[in-house]
Amino acid sequence: MKINNNMSAVIANGQLKKAENRVAAAVERLSSGLRINHAGDDPAGMAISQKMKSQIRGLGRASDNSADGVSVIETAEGALTEVHAILNRMRELAVQSASDTNEAVDRESIQKEIDSLTVEVDRIAKDTEFNGVNLLDGSLDYRGYTDVSGVNVLTFAESVPTDKEYIIKVTTQPQQAKASGGVMQGITSEAQEGALMLNGEIITFKKGDTADDVLGKIRTLANRVGISVSGGATGYEYVTDAYGSAARVDFRCENPDLATALGLDALIGNPTYGIDTAISFEKGFEDTASYSATGTRVEITDRNGFSIEMEVDPAVEKEKLVTLDIMDIGGMNLQIGANENEVMVLKIPATTCHALDIENLNFLSREGSGEAITTLDEAIGRVSSTRASLGAYQNRLEHTISSLDIAEENMTSAMSRIEDVDMAEEMSEYTAASVIQQAGISVLGQANDVPQMVLQLLN
């Protein structure tokens, strides 16, 4: 028997330490609910679970981002609902004003309401925001720029390739309709009495009308059809407010004496018309490309949804080469995934009066009211298209949210299998380790008593 080194106690103590470590590990797992509390518990499992954890949190945040995107769309779509209602009201007024059962004073009242409604459309476009981001003023639309002042890109389709150089030439500048007349005189006899028609609108002159009265009546008539009158002692010029081939100055008068008194002899029956913008394709366009022009606006179209709409200022130099720089920036990028470049671009065209081409509607004449019906139909179509796009975005985001939530759930389940402890199994381990620990304590006590037996030998 040996007393300097009690190997039985050493062995029992070593096993007891192991049992204590097993009990401590089991207690930690049971109290935390995790199988991996330290990297040493399972190095590979720890690395995998941490990667999964970052993905799960990313998926949750992406789902929230998508929900925010839905809120953006609902905000924009709610505002566009009101724009639609305003446009429908304006179209209703256009139909009303196009009927000759309305007198000039009635059309003036209608024009006041139209002017107020256009101000409201612009206000909605300006003030509709989400978290400080304007939604309807065009700031969330893709951008296009030119190298010529006065040529502005209004919109272009998403299918336009942005890595190509597009060059056009302005071959014809947009022009107003213009006509020059002579000096106006007063109506001094019944032979000079009669009616004057300008672009379908009529005004009557009577004996006794002074030169100032005549000028006032002609200005009133011209104002109804969107024509400005300027001049003086040497004659007057009549210029349309609008540009393009649809703009005209067309005087009609059945009384030659009245025409002479008004200084319009040379203009009666000789209408003048404006000119639409004309362009040519110089570079970057397919052979199938074509364009249509209405006044200052030009729309270029090609196959596969290719389209660009732009506006040409009348002051742009003729035969000027214009380079179009199309950029795929400007939309709202929604991060709808947990990883880089998993984004959806939300694109909302401008819905200002300028963008909808309704800023200069003239309801003061029957013809202007009739033209406004077509213009408003096109504006309603644009807003409908925008709302349809927003609806498509929203449906996509709702599916995205559902997909992200399912992915998050499945990945959480997978991480749980790696990281979470099986409580029943761990409880069994704890029980076994605890029993061994208690047995170890008992055995160690007995091992420590062995040296005491030496005393009996000494006795």
Side-chain angles (χ1 to χ4, degrees):
M1 302 179 67
K2 300 176 182 179
I3 61 172
N4 288 330
N5 293 289
N6 188 348
M7 294 307 300
S8 296
V10 171
I11 293 171
N13 186 53
Q15 294 300 322
L16 180 58
K17 287 182 179 179
K18 291 179 181 180
E20 288 177 342
N21 289 337
R22 287 177 63 188
V23 170
V27 168
E28 185 176 24
R29 289 168 182 163
L30 288 170
S31 60
S32 68
L34 297 175
R35 187 179 69 85
I36 304 174
N37 291 286
H38 308 284
D41 293 340
D42 184 351
M46 184 275 298
I48 294 172
S49 65
Q50 289 302 315
K51 185 182 295 183
M52 285 184 169
K53 190 175 294 184
S54 66
Q55 282 292 107
I56 290 169
R57 295 186 65 174
L59 289 170
R61 184 64 260 177
S63 180
D64 293 340
N65 289 347
S66 299
D68 289 341
V70 171
S71 299
V72 169
I73 292 170
E74 290 175 340
T75 301
E77 211 271 331
L80 290 178
T81 300
E82 291 306 312
V83 173
H84 245 158
I86 291 173
L87 293 176
N88 283 318
R89 171 57 179 166
M90 294 170 75
R91 190 184 188 283
E92 178 185 357
L93 291 173
V95 173
Q96 176 184 348
S97 182
S99 174
D100 280 336
T101 55
N102 296 282
E103 296 182 345
V105 65
D106 299 322
R107 289 193 173 114
E108 289 174 1
S109 297
I110 292 173
Q111 184 68 52
K112 289 179 181 179
E113 182 175 353
I114 291 297
D115 293 340
S116 179
L117 290 174
T118 54
V119 170
E120 180 61 15
V121 169
D122 276 337
R123 188 202 66 78
I124 291 174
K126 177 183 177 182
D127 294 345
T128 302
E129 296 181 345
F130 183 89
N131 195 29
V133 178
N134 197 294
L135 303 180
L136 302 180
D137 67 346
S139 57
L140 294 185
D141 199 1
Y142 284 160
R143 307 270 166 75
Y145 301 93
T146 74
D147 61 347
V148 175
S149 176
V151 180
N152 301 310
V153 176
L154 299 177
T155 61
F156 62 89
E158 294 184 31
S159 60
V160 177
T162 58
D163 57 348
K164 295 179 65 175
E165 184 178 28
Y166 299 93
I167 299 178
I168 63 169
K169 180 189 289 184
V170 179
T171 57
T172 302
Q173 301 158 302
Q175 295 182 22
Q176 301 156 297
K178 299 179 181 180
S180 297
V183 178
M184 299 179 193
Q185 303 172 7
I187 308 303
T188 58
S189 67
E190 294 181 358
Q192 293 177 318
E193 292 182 340
L196 175 70
M197 178 183 290
L198 174 58
N199 291 2
E201 289 295 301
I202 298 176
I203 200 164
T204 303
F205 297 88
K206 297 290 186 180
K207 178 182 176 181
D209 288 343
T210 65
D212 288 340
D213 293 334
V214 167
L215 177 59
K217 286 186 175 183
I218 288 183
R219 287 190 186 278
T220 299
L221 179 63
N223 183 56
R224 290 183 199 167
V225 294
I227 293 177
S228 299
V229 182
S230 61
T234 59
Y236 291 87
E237 186 175 43
Y238 306 89
V239 182
T240 59
D241 298 333
Y243 289 79
S245 58
R248 75 183 197 279
V249 177
D250 185 5
F251 283 104
R252 302 296 172 96
C253 182
E254 294 182 353
N255 186 346
D257 293 335
L258 174 61
T260 299
L262 301 179
L264 300 174
D265 309 66
L267 301 182
I268 301 301
N270 294 310
T272 58
Y273 296 89
I275 299 176
D276 294 317
T277 305
I279 65 171
S280 63
F281 301 118
E282 301 297 319
K283 184 179 180 180
F285 296 93
E286 303 291 337
D287 294 337
T288 54
S290 62
Y291 78 90
S292 61
T294 304
T296 60
R297 297 198 176 208
V298 178
E299 183 174 2
I300 301 171
T301 58
D302 203 347
R303 58 189 174 189
N304 300 325
F306 177 111
S307 69
I308 301 173
E309 186 178 5
M310 59 186 182
E311 190 170 38
V312 179
D313 190 277
V316 173
E317 183 181 347
K318 186 177 179 181
E319 301 297 319
K320 184 72 174 180
L321 289 176
V322 180
T323 300
L324 307 179
D325 184 11
I326 307 301
M327 306 180 68
D328 57 351
I329 61 173
M332 176 181 284
N333 290 295
L334 300 176
Q335 181 72 28
I336 59 172
N339 302 310
E340 184 181 7
N341 295 325
E342 293 181 350
V343 300
M344 186 185 86
V345 180
L346 179 62
K347 177 174 173 284
I348 307 178
T351 54
T352 61
C353 289
H354 182 71
L356 298 175
D357 200 20
I358 60 169
E359 58 186 345
N360 294 312
L361 297 177
N362 183 357
F363 284 60
L364 296 176
S365 67
R366 175 181 56 79
E367 185 175 87
S369 301
E371 292 173 351
I373 295 174
T374 300
T375 301
L376 288 167
D377 282 339
E378 293 174 354
I380 291 171
R382 284 176 180 247
V383 176
S384 296
S385 177
T386 300
R387 291 183 66 185
S389 296
L390 290 176
Y393 285 132
Q394 183 170 346
N395 288 341
R396 177 184 171 185
L397 284 174
E398 288 173 352
H399 287 297
T400 298
I401 293 170
S402 178
S403 174
L404 289 169
D405 291 345
I406 292 172
E408 183 181 4
E409 178 183 342
N410 291 335
M411 189 162 289
T412 301
S413 176
M415 186 185 72
S416 175
R417 286 191 290 270
I418 297 173
E419 194 175 58
D420 292 346
V421 70
D422 184 328
M423 297 296 286
E425 180 181 349
E426 197 62 36
M427 193 63 203
S428 298
E429 169 67 14
Y430 170 75
T431 301
S434 180
V435 169
I436 293 173
Q437 181 187 38
Q438 294 176 39
I441 293 173
S442 176
V443 169
L444 179 59
Q446 295 176 30
N448 286 332
D449 289 339
V450 170
Q452 298 294 328
M453 297 179 184
V454 175
L455 296 177
Q456 297 178 8
L457 293 175
L458 294 177
N459 291 330

